[in-house]
Amino acid sequence: MSASSLRYLVSGLVKGEFQYKEFISQAWFVVGVSVIPTLLVAVPFGVIISIQIGSLAQQVGATSFIGAANGLGVIRQGAPIVVALLLAGAVGSAICSDLGARTIREEIDALEVLGISPIQRLVVPRILATMLVGVLLCGVVAFAGVLTGFLFNVLAQGGTPGSYIASFAAFAQPADLALAEVKSALFGLLVALVASYKGLNAKGGPKGVADAVNATVVLSVVLLFAVNVVITQIYSALVPQRLG
């Protein structure tokens, strides 16, 4: 299915057959089911990281590095992980349930009888929509997390704005944000593929759809965390950390 999706994507863009209307509809749908939970998770996530890192930094006398630790922690790992969990839990389950319901109602079989590929018509737009929204959500989480950590450090932990910003600027680099965005796009691709595959192969009526949704969430989370570890290790080996 992954190979077919890539083939239909390339051919659709070249021949002008890409389902732009379905893509826009699905992108708006994905935003609707994910943006509010993402914001609700990003704010406390930034506070938790600030509390833990601030406490440890005060114990070892490294309070001048709180901004760098908070910012890099949120951008490199926090934002992609939050996006991964939200995509798997909210977006993946929604895509799987939608396609699973179409499958058990035999709408997918009807498309195939009409000579319309379900992958070209339904799967490819959902893949691109999930990737696009994943990238945008990563930016939202990174901004909200860094801003929340900054405000909490200054207002609640007695930090100084200048020290926080200076340490963050000294250690952060554009490649860190690029890594987070690439991770989020890849996470969106994997979630959409898993959810679409499980949804199109759902069997056994409503119970089968529910089982497919559960399998989608579990498999997506495990897969995304494994891919995150691999990408992080490759990035650490190829891009050296700035020393200030």
Side-chain angles (χ1 to χ4, degrees):
M1 193 186 73
S2 301
S4 298
S5 300
L6 178 61
R7 185 178 73 252
Y8 282 122
L9 172 61
V10 174
S11 63
L13 293 176
V14 172
K15 299 179 181 179
E17 298 175 351
F18 181 73
Q19 303 293 325
Y20 289 100
K21 184 177 180 180
E22 182 72 11
F23 165 73
I24 295 174
S25 174
Q26 290 303 312
W28 183 250
F29 170 74
V30 172
V31 169
V33 300
S34 61
V35 65
I36 299 300
T38 299
L39 292 175
L40 294 177
V41 172
V43 173
F45 191 84
V47 172
I48 291 173
I49 292 181
S50 182
I51 292 174
Q52 296 298 325
I53 293 179
S55 176
L56 179 61
Q58 290 176 357
Q59 293 179 20
V60 300
T63 55
S64 60
F65 296 100
I66 291 180
N70 279 350
L72 293 179
V74 170
I75 294 175
R76 283 189 178 182
Q77 297 298 329
I81 288 177
V82 170
V83 171
L85 294 176
L86 266 297
L87 288 179
V91 178
S93 59
I95 292 176
C96 182
S97 61
D98 178 37
L99 295 180
R102 293 171 184 260
T103 300
I104 65 172
R105 292 198 303 261
E106 299 182 348
E107 293 181 16
I108 304 300
D109 294 335
L111 288 176
E112 293 177 343
V113 170
L114 294 173
I116 301 175
S117 172
I119 295 178
Q120 181 183 20
R121 181 66 177 80
L122 301 175
V123 174
V124 173
R126 284 166 170 78
I127 290 176
L128 288 185
T130 308
M131 293 177 65
L132 173 63
V133 175
V135 171
L136 298 178
L137 289 180
C138 181
V140 172
V141 174
F143 176 78
V146 171
L147 179 61
T148 302
F150 169 77
L151 293 177
F152 186 83
N153 177 257
V154 173
L155 300 178
Q157 295 179 319
T160 58
S163 175
Y164 190 100
I165 296 175
S167 64
F168 175 72
F171 287 88
Q173 49 189 333
D176 296 326
L177 181 59
L179 170 68
E181 298 290 7
V182 170
K183 281 184 179 180
S184 300
L186 184 57
F187 292 163
L189 170 65
L190 295 176
V191 167
L193 285 174
V194 172
S196 298
Y197 179 80
K198 291 294 184 181
L200 292 177
N201 291 276
K203 298 178 181 179
K207 182 180 181 301
V209 176
D211 293 338
V213 171
N214 291 334
T216 295
V217 175
V218 174
L219 181 59
S220 296
V221 170
V222 174
L223 184 61
L224 295 182
F225 272 86
V227 171
N228 180 60
V229 172
V230 174
I231 296 177
T232 301
Q233 291 298 324
I234 295 175
Y235 176 81
S236 299
L238 297 179
V239 181
Q241 174 62 51
R242 287 178 58 179
L243 299 178

